[in-house]
Amino acid sequence: MAYEVEAPKYVRLAQVIQQRIEDGTYPPGTRVPSENQLVQAFGMSRPTVVRALELLKRDGWLESRQGYGTIVRGRPTVVEHKDRRGSEALARDESQTPGRLVEVGQVPVPARIASVLGLPKRAKVLVRRFLVVEDGEPVELVSSYFPAGLVDGTELGSVEPLSGGTRAHLEARKKVRFDHVTERVSARLPEPGEAELLELSDGLPVLSVLVVACDAAGQALQVSDVLLPADRQELEDTYRLN
């Protein structure tokens, strides 16, 4: 059984504030609500609010101005150009990536994938599961799911490594166009087969990045579950200095 762990409260609050900056609720140059207002509005403790604001300042969304409060800076350039796991999953050339295909075939759609693809339970989808290896050690397990109707006329069902990445392949063969990607990050305990492939010790969690790639109409074309061993991740961030 898989257990998903919600992000900490301060991270979830930071995500809400960031969304409000992006949708124009908090325009650049304006003040965000005070700590007291945020505490009352979201029912969270002051330390949680403070941590959320500090996270947004660190990432360049907000800045403090003496005597004026916390100001919205807008979308940071470093965030716009930051590398994403989703882009890597779509563009990865299996034929050039150290590792191996561990599964290709039709499978019953997992529940969390079905809801994203808009498929009923027990529907079949194609899965390509690729294990990435670096210096002889497994570092990433990528399970990519495709609706059955999108597979015909492609090489996605081939047991040979795919050249050029799934995005380029689908755009060329099916004349679809990938428009945007959503990533959902969670932590959970791996399934036995996942733990074996990633060579994980008992009880060691994984980070799961659920990558949903859609066309301009919002229709999901590919969903990839990227699993990363929690003990082998080194998180790196770039941010502005005030």
Side-chain angles (χ1 to χ4, degrees):
M1 180 179 295
Y3 299 90
E4 291 197 4
V5 180
E6 277 194 308
K9 286 184 178 180
Y10 77 94
V11 173
R12 283 182 275 146
L13 177 57
Q15 290 171 337
V16 172
I17 296 173
Q18 177 184 320
Q19 180 59 46
R20 293 187 179 185
I21 295 172
E22 292 187 283
D23 67 19
T25 303
Y26 303 149
T30 63
R31 285 189 293 181
V32 296
S34 68
E35 292 177 7
N36 285 337
Q37 290 172 323
L38 291 171
V39 167
Q40 294 175 4
F42 292 97
M44 295 185 178
S45 67
R46 183 178 295 276
T48 296
V49 169
V50 170
R51 290 191 71 185
L53 294 175
E54 288 301 319
L55 179 61
L56 290 166
K57 291 174 187 176
R58 187 202 70 181
D59 287 348
W61 294 91
L62 303 175
E63 66 175 322
S64 295
R65 291 184 186 173
Q66 188 67 31
Y68 196 70
T70 301
I71 308 300
V72 176
R73 297 184 69 173
R75 174 180 284 275
T77 302
V78 293
V79 172
E80 290 184 301
H81 294 88
K82 189 182 292 184
D83 289 337
R84 299 289 188 178
R85 292 282 177 181
S87 299
E88 293 175 4
L90 295 175
R92 176 173 286 118
D93 187 329
E94 295 173 349
S95 66
Q96 300 297 319
T97 301
R100 69 183 191 276
L101 274 172
V102 294
E103 182 181 0
V104 178
Q106 298 282 337
V107 297
V109 60
R112 68 194 303 235
I113 307 299
S115 62
V116 175
L117 290 175
L119 296 175
K121 294 179 180 178
R122 303 185 186 88
K124 290 293 186 72
V125 291
L126 178 78
V127 63
R128 291 184 70 85
R129 185 164 287 123
F130 192 89
L131 183 68
V132 182
V133 177
E134 293 181 1
D135 299 323
E137 182 179 54
V139 296
E140 191 172 326
L141 180 62
V142 185
S143 301
S144 295
Y145 300 89
F146 306 89
L150 203 61
V151 175
D152 294 341
T154 73
E155 299 298 324
L156 293 176
S158 171
V159 296
E160 297 299 322
L162 190 67
S163 299
T166 54
R167 174 184 177 179
H169 187 76
L170 280 170
E171 289 186 337
R173 293 294 184 93
K174 303 297 290 187
K175 307 305 178 185
V176 295
R177 182 170 179 80
F178 286 71
D179 180 76
H180 59 275
V181 171
T182 300
E183 298 180 11
R184 305 172 186 175
V185 182
S186 60
R188 64 177 174 85
L189 293 176
E191 300 287 351
E194 296 168 342
E196 181 178 357
L197 286 168
L198 289 168
E199 299 178 7
L200 299 177
S201 304
D202 290 344
L204 189 67
V206 291
L207 296 180
S208 169
V209 183
L210 190 67
V211 180
V212 184
C214 302
D215 61 17
Q219 176 63 48
L221 302 173
Q222 173 180 338
V223 180
S224 297
D225 190 12
V226 182
L227 296 187
L228 308 162
D231 65 336
R232 300 170 204 165
Q233 299 309 305
E234 181 177 330
L235 301 180
E236 181 177 336
D237 199 3
T238 303
Y239 55 93
R240 293 189 181 99
L241 296 174
N242 291 325

